[in-house]
């Protein structure tokens, strides 16, 4: 896909996301639906997955250099992975960040210095470092998702 096709595809996907939020909020549909059936209510984890997917879509389909947000990508990845019971290694977080490894490591260290994430090494093998959200960051992300879901449920979309 090139140029106009990319923007048309992005517009179609964003319209679908808007339609889902409107349906969840009970707002009238502004355009015909491309899918049938009821859309299940979104929870925090669903929203985190949707945002992570949307972030990747912006980067891959529009312009990676304009939409790179390594800190958000790392935090969303850690949030979703924790819910899935999966450990996130430093190298996995670097890949998820969407930026070169050296840049990702700077962001990981900045998040750790701020106490937003914790680094954990395996006692049996210190070569591997795993990352996890701090309690405060996890609670802040919960509030962030709750505010978005609350707004969407009331039909008062921005």
């Amino acid at each position: 896909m090139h140029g106009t096709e990319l923007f048309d595809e992005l517009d179609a996907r964003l319209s679908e996301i808007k339609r889902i939020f409107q349906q969840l909020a009970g707002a009238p549909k502004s355009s015909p639906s491309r899918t049938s059936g009821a859309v299940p209510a979104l929870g925090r984890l669903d929203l985190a997955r949707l945002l992570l997917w949307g972030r990747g879509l912006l980067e891959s389909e529009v312009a990676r250099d304009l939409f790179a947000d390594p800190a958000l990508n790392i935090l969303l990845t850690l949030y979703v992975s924790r819910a899935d019971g999966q450990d996130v290694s430093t190298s996995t977080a670097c890949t998820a960040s969407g930026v070169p490894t050296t840049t990702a490591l700077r962001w990981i260290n900045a998040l750790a210095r701020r106490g937003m994430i914790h680094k954990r090494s395996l006692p049996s093998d210190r070569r591997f470092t795993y990352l996890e959200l701090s309690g405060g960051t996890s609670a802040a992300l919960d509030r962030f998702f709750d505010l978005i879901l609350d707004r969407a449920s009331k039909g008062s979309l921005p």
Side-chain angles (χ1 to χ4, degrees):
M1 280 191 221
H2 296 289
T4 306
E5 293 173 3
L6 286 174
F7 288 108
D8 289 345
E9 177 67 19
L10 179 62
D11 185 56
R13 290 183 189 223
L14 289 174
S15 294
E16 183 67 11
I17 291 168
K18 180 180 177 185
R19 185 199 60 76
I20 290 169
F21 275 113
Q22 287 175 330
Q23 187 173 354
L24 289 170
K29 293 180 186 176
S30 60
S31 61
S33 174
R34 293 189 320 188
T35 62
S36 61
V39 176
L42 292 178
R44 291 173 182 161
L45 184 58
D46 301 314
L47 182 55
R49 288 182 198 284
L50 186 62
L51 288 172
L52 196 54
W53 172 81
R55 298 255 335 106
L57 187 63
L58 271 174
E59 292 174 13
S60 68
E61 300 296 326
V62 180
R64 178 173 297 277
D65 61 328
L66 292 178
F67 297 104
D69 190 345
L72 181 58
N73 290 349
I74 291 167
L75 293 176
L76 289 172
T77 298
L78 292 174
Y79 189 90
V80 169
S81 295
R82 182 196 62 198
D84 291 343
Q86 297 176 345
D87 287 330
V88 177
S89 67
T90 300
S91 61
T92 299
C94 286
T95 301
S97 73
V99 294
T101 302
T102 53
T103 303
L105 289 171
R106 282 194 297 274
W107 279 104
I108 289 168
N109 289 328
L111 291 168
R113 277 193 308 276
R114 289 176 178 235
M116 297 179 76
I117 64 172
H118 300 294
K119 295 179 180 181
R120 174 178 49 87
S121 296
L122 292 176
S124 60
D125 191 347
R126 297 221 177 265
R127 293 176 296 170
F128 295 101
T129 303
Y130 294 94
L131 307 175
E132 54 193 31
L133 293 174
S134 69
T137 301
S138 181
L141 287 171
D142 285 345
R143 286 189 306 275
F144 171 71
F145 297 134
D146 287 345
L147 289 168
I148 293 171
L149 292 168
D150 182 59
R151 166 81 53 107
S153 73
K154 292 178 180 172
S156 56
L157 298 175

